[in-house]
Amino acid sequence: MGTSNDHAPLAERVEQLLEGGLPLTIVAAGDPVLRRGTEPYDGQLEPALLARFVEALRVTMRAAPGVGLAAPQVGVELRIAVIEDPAPVPEEVRLTRGRVPQPFRVLVNPAYEPVGDARAAFFEGCLSVPGWQAVVARPAEVRLTGQDEHGQALDEVLEGWPARIVQHETDHLDGVLYLDRAEPRSLSSNLAMAERWAQPTPEEAARALGFELP
């Protein structure tokens, strides 16, 4: 969605966005919509339109492909995100990163807070920053609160990769990109990742590129 009609009613803008067909266009870093933050969802979209918008996010996330997508990434400043991770990774990666399959779910007005002091650092990428990855140290365990698309309350503790996905997508809703939290010296192209840093942990990258891990 472009920014020329940002002052139109939000429901009207979402309708216009969906009329353009699927998958939706993912906004790239540099667009102000990724930095403005979002307004809490409070019924701005009537149920049928909300369901269509959620489905559009799902189709777009899967087509990218990615494991999460936040509304600002398609130009909508609304506090909604979707996540889904089939986790097709080797056993060593699953164990090291705590990457377990996550079913499709919708996060409405999500927030998170750390549980304990443990932090985990791994390479992370973003659909709005295509072609690059960087190491981000995040709380290893978080408490997620919010609602689902039906208004049911969410209050649960997540760890490992699911916790990382929730933090990444919720950050988007606050106008924060993963690069804001990343170790700058770790920034690597996807090609460099494939050729050099495909190990389960970023320890080799830290030694070679000169940055510290928590």
Side-chain angles (χ1 to χ4, degrees), residues 67-68 82-85 99 102 160-170:
V67 297
V82 298
I83 65 174
E84 181 182 48
D85 185 12
R99 187 170 177 184
Q102 292 296 295
W161 214 254
R164 181 169 294 268
I165 295 171
V166 163
Q167 291 174 75
H168 181 115
E169 300 307 327
T170 303

Side-chain angles (χ1 to χ4, degrees), residues 83-175:
I83 65 174
E84 181 182 48
D85 185 12
V89 296
E91 182 71 3
E92 183 182 8
V93 173
R94 183 186 71 79
L95 293 173
T96 302
R97 301 180 186 176
R99 187 170 177 184
V100 295
Q102 292 296 295
F104 177 79
R105 61 190 304 192
V106 183
L107 308 180
V108 177
N109 300 328
Y112 69 83
E113 59 185 29
V115 175
D117 298 326
R119 294 174 67 78
F122 293 103
F123 274 100
E124 205 169 299
C126 180
L127 297 177
S128 290
V129 190
W132 299 91
Q133 298 183 47
V135 172
V136 184
R138 293 188 182 273
E141 192 172 2
V142 297
R143 179 186 178 193
L144 167 68
T145 55
Q147 300 88 41
D148 66 14
E149 70 271 38
H150 306 297
Q152 297 297 309
L154 301 176
D155 190 343
E156 59 192 271
V157 173
L158 300 169
E159 60 183 4
W161 214 254
R164 181 169 294 268
I165 295 171
V166 163
Q167 291 174 75
H168 181 115
E169 300 307 327
T170 303
D171 281 355
H172 270 302
L173 304 179
D174 294 324

Side-chain angles (χ1 to χ4, degrees), residues 123 195-211 213:
F123 274 100
E195 293 181 345
R196 297 175 179 272
W197 314 130
Q199 302 86 5
T201 76
E203 291 180 2
E204 285 191 32
R207 286 193 294 269
L209 299 178
F211 62 91
L213 297 172

